[in-house]
Structure formats: C-alpha cells, structure tokens
Amino acid sequence: MSDQRIPEGFFSARVGRITVSPSNAGAQRVRELRALGRDIIGLTIGEPDFETPSHVKQAATEAMAREETKYTNVDGTPELKEAIRAKFKRENGLEYAPEQILAGNGGKQVIYNAIMATVSAGDEVIIPAPYWVSYLDIPLLADGTPVPVGCRPEDGFKLTPGALEAAITPRTKWLVLNSPCNPTGAVYSRAELKALAEVLLRHPRVWVIADDIYEHLVFDGVEFATIAQVEPALYDRTLTVNGVAKTYAMTGWRIGYGGGPVELIRNMKKVQSQSTTCPSSIGQAAAVRALNGPQDFVPGRAQAFQARRDRVLELLREAPGIECFRPQGAFYIFANCAGTLGKQTPQGVTLEATCARTASPSPATPT
C-alpha cells in the first residue's frame, strides 16, 4: 500500500460535507462479520427478507437468453416506461406521457438526479424529521441547504401545515415527502396531504418530491395516497418517486423510477447520462414483469409485515424505559429509548445520549 501523502485540498469541499451512508456502512459490517462465521442479525438496512418472485426472476433469465444485455436508453427501455406509466395510472390515478418518466438505478438515483438537476448553492430543501439518511446528504452534494423540520410524536411524526409554512423561505426549492415514512412508519392521510397542499399552493416556487417507495406496505386498513393524486394543482411541480425494491423484494436489482414534468425529467436524464448512463438491462426486464405481472401476493407480504410489527411492539413495550410509536406502514419501529438513559448495562456501562449529526443550523432544525 502506498504511503504517499495526498496533497491538502485534493478532495472537494462537497465530499467533506457528507458522510458515508450509515445504513450502508452498517450493512457492510454485518456482511463482513457473517463472512467470518459470526451469527449476526442485521437491523441496518431497509430490505425485505422475502424472495424476489419466481416469475420476475424468470423474466431476467429470458432477457439474457434473448441477449438483452446491452446499453438501453438512458431513461429506461420503452417497455419499462410503458409498464411504469400503466402502474401510475392503475394504482395512483396519475397520467404521464413517456417523456415524463425516468427509470434509474434505484429510487435513490432518481432523487439524486432531481436534486442535482435543480438545486444550486443556497437553495433549501425541506426534510420532515425523522428522515431517511440520504435526504440530508444529497442536497449537500448539490451545494444546497437541507432544512430538517421536526415532526412531533403527538402529531404522529407527520409534518403539519403550520410547521411547513414556518419552514418555507424565499430560498426553498423542494419539500421531500416520504409516506409511508422511513424510519417512523407514519402514513399521511388524504386529508393531511390536502392540508399540506393548501400551504404549497400559496408558494408556487416550492416543488415536491413524493417518495412513495413503501406504498404497498400499509397496515390496519390504512389507505395510501400521494400528493399529486390528492391535489391535481400540484401535478406540474411534483416528482412522484417509486421503485420495485420494497414491494417486490428486488433491492439488489436497482430499479427505481419517477414521474414528473417534462422539463424536469429531461434535465434529470441529462444528469443520469453523465453518471450511470442507464439502469441494468436485465433489471429493467425483471421490473417490467414485476409491474405488469400478478400482484395477488403483495397484500400477503404486507400482512406478514403487520404481524411482525405487532409482535415487535408487544415485546418492546415489555422493556422498561422504551416507548414505541405504532407505525402505519413500511417495516420499521421507531422506538423512544429516553427512559433507559442513566441506567446501567449488566457490564456496568451507564447508558448516555449521543448527538446525531445535523445539517447546518436553521430555525427549522429540531433540537
């Protein structure tokens, strides 16, 4: 290994503003320990433990047999874009033309493309907190300013219209709205989305990224809705993001997609053309089969996650000092461990709070 000194200032300021994704770093450590023979239960990353459906895997095999192993269009094959359009219309009541659709290497790349295509130095991105880790770092890479807005347990960890109104400034460019939410499992009702939409309609310069990746993992009869569906007046400034990772247990296939205004998608396509070029041709073929194929197994998987939620809540509530919010969707438990602080482990270690990294100070940043 070379010990050559890297010159000062060699690395960009933007890479110094971010960290390695904590969930990805944790997942890698789990894999390393398992490779050493350790029996590790991984609770680090949002990944269903179900298998990718057999008919979806068969589609990939068939695509390889047809030699569909070359580059595709940057924004996805015509077949995949048509499947995405059909999904949006069938399940969300959203009509998109082909030029309003982009497929990327996971939902994360779709969001990354959007931020990179639109955010300049000083532009602000409102992020309801608690939030998925990458929502904070992607705007930082674009020289933007993430603005976390605390969502209270008494509000179901959901952004309220008042908190949204208070967070909007002349520099606000995006609101990121994740429902069902990682990590709280909060799900916005139609009425709650409508109330947020009323605020946004008063601020026409603010656009919305609706991250719907956990759409089909909702519990207790809760209805899923997305903001462009609830308020059609926001359709022209909403990017609706989804993917096959969670619903079809296809995390490693890396296929996400988004629907939005033509000019936004065109510029996102430009960004993607200079990064990954296109999603995997094999992954795209599998995603077509997932979206167009049978969906009857999807509710059963949601029911399995609901049963697991109920069992985990039951067990955690038996633990002194731990309180749990009851998630309405996704597959996370957001536990409040404040009641354990000051207690000692069997090894005599006193439990203390540690400070999580936050974005640059902002009036809307929770303390």
Side-chain angles (χ1 to χ4, degrees):
M1 180 181 295
S2 172
D3 60 357
Q4 180 180 358
R5 179 178 175 81
I6 296 176
E8 185 177 351
F10 179 77
F11 296 107
S12 69
R14 69 175 60 86
V15 81
R17 288 193 291 268
I18 66 169
T19 65
V20 174
S21 166
S23 55
N24 287 334
Q28 180 173 330
R29 183 59 177 155
V30 167
R31 288 188 287 268
E32 291 169 350
L33 291 172
R34 285 174 176 166
L36 295 173
R38 299 279 296 276
D39 183 13
I40 303 295
I41 297 173
L43 300 175
T44 58
I45 199 164
E47 186 166 55
D49 60 337
F50 297 109
E51 291 187 5
T52 301
S54 57
H55 66 278
V56 174
K57 291 186 283 190
Q58 181 62 33
T61 301
E62 294 169 0
M64 287 186 284
R66 294 191 300 268
E67 291 296 325
E68 294 179 6
T69 56
K70 312 300 182 184
Y71 293 126
T72 73
N73 293 345
V74 170
D75 51 350
T77 64
E79 294 80 11
L80 178 56
K81 292 178 69 172
E82 189 56 40
I84 293 167
R85 291 180 61 216
K87 178 264 182 265
F88 275 133
K89 182 176 181 179
R90 178 179 69 243
E91 298 182 350
N92 308 116
L94 295 174
E95 296 263 8
Y96 292 111
E99 59 269 27
Q100 291 181 272
I101 298 292
L102 178 136
N105 290 276
K108 180 184 285 190
Q109 187 180 30
V110 176
I111 295 169
Y112 180 90
N113 291 342
I115 296 297
M116 286 295 171
T118 60
V119 171
S120 301
D123 287 343
E124 295 174 352
V125 179
I126 294 174
I127 306 166
Y131 49 80
W132 175 52
V133 292
S134 293
Y135 293 147
L136 189 83
D137 288 275
I138 293 174
L140 290 172
L141 278 171
D143 296 329
T145 303
V147 180
V149 178
C151 299
R152 304 180 303 174
E154 54 266 39
D155 295 321
F157 289 114
K158 301 176 195 178
L159 182 67
T160 63
L164 173 59
E165 184 75 63
I168 293 174
T169 76
R171 296 308 304 266
T172 304
K173 182 156 283 185
W174 288 101
L175 163 66
V176 178
L177 205 55
N178 178 213
S179 176
C181 175
N182 172 359
T184 65
V187 179
Y188 288 84
S189 68
R190 285 179 174 270
E192 289 164 339
L193 290 173
K194 187 72 172 178
L196 294 176
E198 289 175 1
V199 175
L200 293 166
L201 290 174
R202 295 195 293 271
H203 300 276
R205 67 184 175 278
V206 181
W207 286 40
V208 185
I209 294 175
D211 185 352
D212 298 345
I213 194 71
Y214 297 96
E215 171 183 2
H216 290 290
L217 298 177
V218 291
F219 312 137
D220 305 318
V222 169
E223 178 194 16
F224 172 81
T226 192
I227 196 163
Q229 172 190 33
V230 170
E231 179 47 79
L234 290 178
Y235 172 87
D236 287 331
R237 51 190 174 108
T238 298
L239 174 67
T240 304
V241 179
N242 214 311
V244 297
K246 316 301 183 181
T247 299
Y248 305 101
M250 294 177 65
T251 51
W253 297 81
R254 307 310 301 136
I255 300 294
Y257 53 84
V262 171
E263 280 300 293
L264 173 63
I265 296 297
R266 183 179 66 81
N267 281 282
M268 289 169 58
K269 179 179 176 181
K270 186 187 300 184
V271 172
Q272 185 160 296
S273 75
Q274 295 292 358
S275 55
T276 59
T277 299
C278 64
S280 157
S281 60
I282 305 306
Q284 291 187 69
V288 170
R289 186 70 59 86
L291 293 172
N292 287 344
Q295 308 292 312
D296 54 337
F297 64 92
V298 174
R301 292 188 173 188
Q303 290 167 9
F305 278 122
Q306 180 175 325
R308 296 176 188 182
R309 176 207 64 177
D310 293 343
R311 180 58 175 153
V312 172
L313 284 175
E314 179 185 349
L315 293 171
L316 283 177
R317 285 170 176 168
E318 294 177 0
I322 295 181
E323 297 179 358
C324 290
F325 170 75
R326 183 181 181 86
Q328 296 177 306
F331 40 67
Y332 307 99
I333 296 290
F334 194 70
N336 182 349
C337 302
T340 68
L341 299 180
K343 298 182 183 294
Q344 288 191 331
T345 69
Q347 292 77 30
V349 177
T350 301
L351 300 177
E352 298 178 352
T354 58
C355 228
R357 182 178 70 105
T358 62
S360 302
S362 158
T365 300
T367 57

